[in-house]
Amino acid sequence: MKILVLQHLDVETPGSLLDLFKADGATWDTVELDRGETIPDLRPYDMMTVMGGPQDVWQEDEFPWFKAEKAAIREYVVNMQRPYLGLCLGHQLLAEAIGGTVGKAATGEVGVMTASKTPAGHVDPLLAGLSDPMTVLQWHGAEVQSLPESAVVLASSPACAIQAFRYGPCAYGLQFHVEITQATVDDWAAIPAYACALDSALGEGAAARVRRDVSDRLPAFTHYAATIWHNFKSTWPRTA
């Protein structure tokens, strides 16, 4: 198994998913787009995963590499129909690549919160075995606001109607984070844009509270990641 990882910030990695990749004997290539690295030929890869980042999908003037990234995602999921997993910004990029829209959220979500399965989410294999509602880590100020009819919404929250969705048989976007490790909160809180979002949503000193909340739930989060990874693989076509 060969995986292509697209990153937008050096601390926004696949996190706990890397242990799952290793356990399956997978190899992966990481492209750090914010450092000017270019996306390689997509054909050798069995799966693409696209991570979060402090950028917004509409900032193509500030981050011109977004154009190439969106084109690559569109090629991979629409034309090649290969497995895709997008987290946070990667979820939003998938939505835009397939014809959806992304905009500023009326209410950002930061911290340990809940998301509920939709009726479609109850039967989709990706979320099988997870609680409903799901306790998840959120850290976003933008959201997917619409999707084409060919996409299916799998989870939502009071502040964000599209928390998870599927396009085709094996392309998924998750607004929340499943890749959490013990270092996640400290790594992200050190990023000015993320620290600002954290303090704005939860007040000064919020990092310590979120760190504690994540630490208390880390075994459950790790279980979520393993369950979603196992479920995700079950959707792949046999040729992938």
Side-chain angles (χ1 to χ4, degrees):
M1 187 194 311
K2 191 171 184 180
I3 301 169
L4 179 61
V5 179
L6 302 185
Q7 291 185 189
H8 314 98
L9 189 69
D10 59 357
V11 297
E12 286 247 29
T13 74
S16 64
L17 293 174
L18 292 176
D19 290 334
L20 300 169
F21 296 170
K22 291 175 186 176
D24 279 343
T27 60
W28 59 91
D29 293 329
T30 300
V31 178
E32 195 73 52
L33 292 162
D34 58 307
R35 294 182 178 176
E37 296 179 1
T38 57
I39 299 172
D41 181 1
L42 301 176
R43 289 173 294 180
Y45 295 98
D46 300 300
M47 169 202 161
M48 178 189 292
T49 185
V50 180
M51 310 312 302
Q55 305 88 356
D56 288 310
V57 298
W58 55 82
Q59 294 180 304
E60 290 185 354
D61 290 339
E62 296 95 323
F63 309 109
W65 39 263
F66 264 145
K67 295 179 182 179
E69 183 177 22
K70 292 173 189 177
I73 294 170
R74 187 178 304 110
E75 174 66 18
Y76 201 75
V77 303
V78 176
N79 297 331
M80 299 172 68
Q81 297 189 340
R82 298 274 184 92
Y84 175 100
L85 183 63
L87 302 177
C88 200
L89 178 58
H91 157 87
Q92 297 164 12
L93 285 164
L94 173 62
E96 188 162 298
I98 63 171
T101 60
V102 178
K104 192 77 172 175
T107 303
E109 294 178 301
V110 182
V112 176
M113 309 178 81
T114 60
S116 298
K117 298 178 188 180
T118 65
H122 277 285
V123 298
D124 193 276
L126 187 73
L127 303 182
L130 300 183
S131 63
D132 187 31
M134 302 172 285
T135 301
V136 295
L137 178 64
Q138 303 276 13
W139 209 314
H140 69 101
E143 65 179 6
V144 176
Q145 297 180 335
S146 70
L147 289 168
E149 291 184 0
S150 52
V152 181
V153 178
L154 305 178
S156 65
S157 72
C160 179
I162 304 175
Q163 283 283 347
F165 72 93
R166 173 177 52 80
Y167 172 80
C170 53
Y172 289 92
L174 301 177
Q175 182 59 73
F176 50 88
H177 293 275
V178 301
E179 74 280 23
I180 309 155
T181 71
Q182 190 69 56
T184 295
V185 174
D186 286 338
D187 285 345
W188 294 359
I191 305 303
Y194 288 173
C196 181
L198 183 63
D199 289 344
S200 176
L202 301 176
E204 285 193 41
R209 297 197 302 276
V210 175
R211 185 190 307 112
R212 183 180 62 249
D213 289 345
V214 167
S215 182
D216 290 345
R217 293 170 173 81
L218 193 58
F221 288 150
T222 302
H223 172 71
Y224 265 38
T227 300
I228 285 176
W229 173 243
H230 173 78
N231 292 346
F232 177 52
K233 289 188 298 176
S234 75
T235 70
W236 296 14
R238 292 183 180 181
T239 55

